[in-house]
Amino acid sequence: MAKLKFTKTALLALAPPEAGKRLAVYDTEIPKLAMRITAAGTRTFYVVKRAGASMAWVKLGTLPEMTVEQARAEAQKILGEFATGANPAAARRAIRGEPTFAEMLKQFLAEKKKRDGTPLGEKTKRDYLDLLRLYLETIKSRKLSHITKQDLKAIHSKASKKSAAQADKAMAVVSSVFNFAADLELFEGTNPASRIQKNPAPSRDRFAQSVELPHLFAAIGESSLADFFLLSLLTGARRSNVQAMAWRDLDLDTRIWRIGMTKNGTPQNVTLSPEAAAALVARKRTTGASPFVFPGEGKTGHLVEPKKAWAAILLRASLRRLLDHLEGLGKLTAEERQLADKQITEAPAAAEKRYRAIADALEIDPALYDMTDLRIHDLRRTLGSWQAKTGASMAIIGKSLNHKTHQATAIYARLDLDPVRQSVETATLAMLEAAGIKQPTEVVTLPAKRRAKKN
C-alpha cells in the first residue's frame, strides 16, 4: 500500500498506471484518505473504511477541483459519521445536498433581517452581489464545507491589492453567510472566515477647508442638485437619509427633521439651522405632489444616485481654484480668466484638459487646487469638523451626527437638542462666513450663474 504526504504537487506528479489498472495511494496525515488514479489520469479522493467484512470507498471529489485541504476536511467529517455508527452512504448524500456558497448567499439576501426586523435594503443586496462577482467567484459554486480558511485568506490577499476596504467587506459577507447557514442548521463546523486578519483601517479626516468653501459653494450653486448637496452639508445627515427625506418627517416650524431609522439601527432627530429650514421652505414650492423632498423617477420615488452631479461640482470647483492660482502667478489676464470661466461652465472636460496641462507644465502641485478627492460623505464630516473648530464637544458632535459608540451612547441619551442646535448653527454661520455668504436667516443664495443648468 503506497503512502505519501498529500500535496497538490506530489499527487499531480504521480504517473498514471497502465491501461486497465488503477493506482491507489494513501495520505500519511489522514491514513484513511486515499486517491485513486486511472490510466486516463483522473485523480479522485476517497475515504476508505472497513464496513463489516468489506471495505467501503466513499468518493469525495477529484483533483484539482477539490483541494487536498478540502479532501482532508471532508474525510474527517465522513470518518466522524462512521464513528457514530451512521450509514456512510447517507452521510455522503447529506454532504451532496449541502448548498453552495452562491445558493446560500441567495437565501441570505432573501431572508436575512436587520436589527430592526426589516429586510436588507436593495442597495445592500446589490453591493453583496457585486462582491460575489468581483472577488468571490472561486468559491461561489463550492459546497460550504469545501471552503477552507486557506481559500479565503488567498481571496482576501488578492482582493486587498485592489481595495483593502472591499477585501475586508468581502470577508465580512462570507462570515455572515456562514453564520446564517449555521443558524439554519445547514452548515456545521468552524466558520472559515472567522479571525482572518483585516487590513489596517485608513484614517480619513477629509473635510472642506476654509479656502475651498467659496469654490465649493459656487459650484454647488450651479448644480441641478444644489439643494441636495446644501442640505447634506447643513444637516450632516447620511447621504441615504437625505436622498429619502420626506415632507411628512419635517417640522419646519420647530426646525426638526425626524429620521425613523438610520444606518446604525436607531431613529434620529436632526436639528435644522435657519438656513436649512429656509432652503426647505423654498424647495417645497417646486416639488409638486411628491412626498419626497428630492423626487426621483425610479421605483423608490426619490433621488438615488447623485455621484455624477457631485463629480461635476468638484471638477468646476477645482478648476476655479486653479484659475485663481494661475492669476496669482500672473499667468492669466483678466480677459483670459473670463474666457476660462466660460469654458469651465460650458465645456468642463475641455477646460480640465487645457488648464491641468498648464499646471503640469508650471509644476504646480495639484494639492494647491485639486478638490476631486472630496466625497459626498465628507460633507457630513465637514459639518462635524466645523462644529469642532467652533468649540463643540465630542458628545455634542456625536449627537448631531448620530454617531453610535459604546462609550458615548449613554452621554448622547442625556443630551437635549438645544446645545446640538446651537452647535450646528454656529458651525453653519462659520462655514457661510468662510464662503463669503452672509444671509444667515434667509434662504442661502449660492453664488450661481447658471443654477438651472443640468449636469
Side-chain angles (χ1 to χ4, degrees):
M1 183 172 66
K3 295 182 180 181
L4 60 86
K5 181 179 179 180
F6 279 8
T7 66
K8 180 179 179 180
T9 301
L11 292 174
L12 291 177
L14 293 173
E18 60 186 69
K21 294 187 177 181
R22 290 183 297 186
L23 171 66
V25 292
Y26 291 80
D27 185 26
T28 56
E29 290 198 8
I30 300 181
K32 293 180 174 58
L33 173 63
M35 169 170 280
R36 276 179 172 171
I37 305 175
T38 67
T42 301
R43 291 163 165 79
T44 306
F45 291 108
Y46 289 88
V47 167
V48 184
K49 185 74 170 65
R50 180 171 298 280
S54 63
M55 298 296 292
W57 287 69
V58 182
K59 182 178 178 181
L60 303 181
T62 58
L63 187 74
E65 287 77 12
M66 173 177 276
T67 67
V68 171
E69 292 79 9
Q70 291 167 352
R72 285 180 176 140
E74 194 161 332
Q76 289 176 326
K77 183 178 289 189
I78 295 295
L79 291 170
E81 294 291 339
F82 272 110
T84 60
N87 183 328
R92 179 65 260 176
R93 286 195 297 272
I95 291 176
R96 281 202 301 269
E98 186 180 67
T100 64
F101 181 79
E103 291 168 342
M104 199 68 248
L105 175 61
K106 182 179 180 180
Q107 186 174 351
F108 174 87
L109 296 179
E111 300 177 10
K112 178 66 176 177
K113 297 292 189 296
K114 294 187 290 188
R115 284 176 290 185
D116 63 349
T118 60
L120 297 177
E122 292 303 316
K123 183 178 185 302
T124 298
K125 293 178 181 180
R126 290 195 302 271
D127 288 346
Y128 283 16
L129 291 173
D130 283 344
L131 290 170
L132 177 69
R133 175 176 56 83
L134 293 171
Y135 304 110
L136 303 174
E137 280 285 331
T138 57
I139 65 168
K140 75 174 189 178
S141 299
R142 293 187 190 173
K143 302 291 187 180
L144 296 181
S145 61
H146 290 180
I147 299 171
T148 68
K149 185 178 288 289
Q150 287 71 28
D151 295 327
L152 298 182
K153 283 183 176 179
I155 290 172
H156 184 258
S157 177
K158 183 178 179 181
S160 295
K161 296 175 182 177
K162 184 176 181 181
S163 170
Q166 288 292 87
D168 289 344
K169 190 172 182 180
M171 292 303 101
V173 169
V174 173
S175 182
S176 295
V177 169
F178 270 92
N179 288 337
F180 180 75
D183 290 343
L184 297 179
E185 298 184 356
L186 296 175
F187 172 76
E188 294 182 359
T190 302
N191 186 330
S194 65
R195 303 183 70 82
I196 289 180
Q197 186 66 45
K198 292 183 178 180
N199 292 297
S203 177
R204 183 172 175 84
D205 56 3
R206 182 73 166 94
F207 67 97
Q209 305 290 331
S210 299
V211 294
E212 295 174 321
L213 283 174
H215 301 89
L216 182 62
F217 272 103
I220 287 175
E222 293 180 338
S223 173
S224 59
L225 294 181
D227 289 340
F228 170 79
F229 294 116
L230 178 65
L231 286 167
S232 295
L233 176 60
L234 298 186
T235 64
R238 294 178 177 89
R239 188 181 82 175
S240 58
N241 293 130
V242 180
Q243 288 171 186
M245 183 188 288
W247 291 113
R248 67 173 181 273
D249 297 326
L250 291 163
D251 185 340
L252 298 180
D253 291 330
T254 60
R255 292 192 278 116
I256 294 293
W257 169 28
R258 172 71 174 177
I259 301 177
M261 190 59 61
T262 61
K263 181 181 179 180
N264 66 21
T266 61
Q268 180 187 6
N269 282 335
V270 178
T271 178
L272 300 172
S273 66
E275 294 77 16
L280 286 165
V281 169
R283 184 165 184 81
K284 181 65 174 174
R285 307 186 192 105
T286 68
T287 55
S290 174
F292 296 105
V293 177
F294 301 103
E297 297 179 356
K299 61 182 181 180
T300 64
H302 60 70
L303 174 67
V304 173
E305 189 48 81
K307 286 184 179 179
K308 185 177 179 181
W310 182 242
I313 286 169
L314 295 182
L315 176 58
R316 289 174 178 171
S318 297
L319 290 178
R320 287 180 180 135
R321 286 192 73 199
L322 174 56
L323 294 183
D324 284 353
H325 196 69
L326 291 174
E327 272 193 305
L329 294 174
K331 302 298 182 181
L332 278 184
T333 65
E335 183 179 357
E336 288 172 334
R337 173 62 191 259
Q338 188 175 10
L339 291 173
D341 282 328
K342 182 178 180 181
Q343 186 178 30
I344 288 173
T345 300
E346 297 178 354
E352 179 184 27
K353 183 177 180 180
R354 177 178 181 180
Y355 291 103
R356 280 190 184 272
I358 293 174
D360 291 343
L362 294 173
E363 297 184 347
I364 297 174
D365 186 352
L368 295 174
Y369 66 87
D370 197 341
M371 295 170 57
T372 55
D373 66 329
L374 198 65
R375 302 173 186 171
I376 296 176
H377 187 77
D378 292 334
L379 293 176
R380 171 176 165 83
R381 188 178 289 109
T382 295
L383 177 64
S385 298
W386 280 83
Q387 285 178 276
K389 288 175 68 172
T390 52
S393 69
M394 293 300 101
I396 292 290
I397 295 170
K399 178 70 181 285
S400 63
L401 298 183
N402 192 235
H403 286 163
K404 186 176 183 181
T405 66
H406 297 297
Q407 296 84 358
T409 300
I411 297 175
Y412 294 168
R414 293 196 296 269
L415 293 174
D416 60 33
L417 287 178
D418 288 338
V420 173
R421 183 188 302 281
Q422 181 180 357
S423 173
V424 169
E425 293 178 7
T426 300
T428 296
L429 289 173
M431 287 189 290
L432 295 176
E433 182 179 351
I437 301 171
K438 297 181 180 179
Q439 297 178 0
T441 59
E442 302 173 15
V443 178
V444 174
T445 304
L446 297 174
K449 296 179 180 179
R450 293 175 176 82
R451 181 167 175 173
K453 184 177 177 64
K454 298 291 183 180
N455 288 319

